[in-house]
Amino acid sequence: MVQAKLLKADLHGAIVTVTKSKCPSYVGIKGIILQEFKHIFKIITQEDKLKVVPKLNNVFSLEIDGFISYIYGSKFQLRASERSAKKFKLKGTIDL
């Protein structure tokens, strides 16, 4: 139930961490989502640096009330406004 609400949530201001990526330089980036676009997140880090991280081929972790949820960016490529109105179907394949 939490993940169903997370799919439709607006992630602006959420603290996320890049946990897996095909590009090793993205792994470990942690910060606040400043802007969300269809294919990228703009994340501001603790060092006040703006990082542009693509959603494709990246896995993000998000903690809500002690519950850690993983966001697969390849399956999350929609704008926040489009995501809130869309009905999601369960798919079991994850490619990374």
Side-chain angles (χ1 to χ4, degrees):
M1 183 163 181
V2 173
Q3 290 185 348
K5 290 190 178 198
L6 183 63
L7 280 173
K8 296 188 178 225
D10 185 11
L11 296 177
H12 291 95
I15 298 173
V16 296
T17 305
V18 181
T19 54
K20 292 182 185 177
S21 178
K22 280 193 174 180
C23 181
S25 64
Y26 290 132
V27 176
I29 293 177
K30 182 177 181 178
I32 299 171
I33 294 180
L34 194 61
Q35 287 182 317
E36 178 184 356
F37 295 99
K38 187 171 185 175
H39 298 288
I40 62 168
F41 284 129
K42 286 190 177 181
I43 299 174
I44 187 125
T45 64
Q46 287 182 338
E47 295 83 27
D48 288 333
K49 299 211 180 222
L50 183 66
K51 302 282 185 176
V52 178
V53 181
K55 292 180 182 178
L56 187 66
N57 299 324
N58 287 325
V59 179
F60 303 91
S61 65
L62 176 69
E63 185 176 350
I64 302 172
D65 296 331
F67 177 75
I68 296 175
S69 181
Y70 294 98
I71 298 171
Y72 292 88
S74 303
K75 308 295 181 190
F76 214 66
Q77 290 190 336
L78 292 170
R79 293 185 190 103
S81 60
E82 293 172 357
R83 230 183 16 248
S84 64
K86 182 176 171 126
K87 289 186 179 181
F88 289 95
K89 296 180 181 176
L90 295 175
K91 294 182 182 177
T93 60
I94 298 170
D95 50 2
L96 180 65

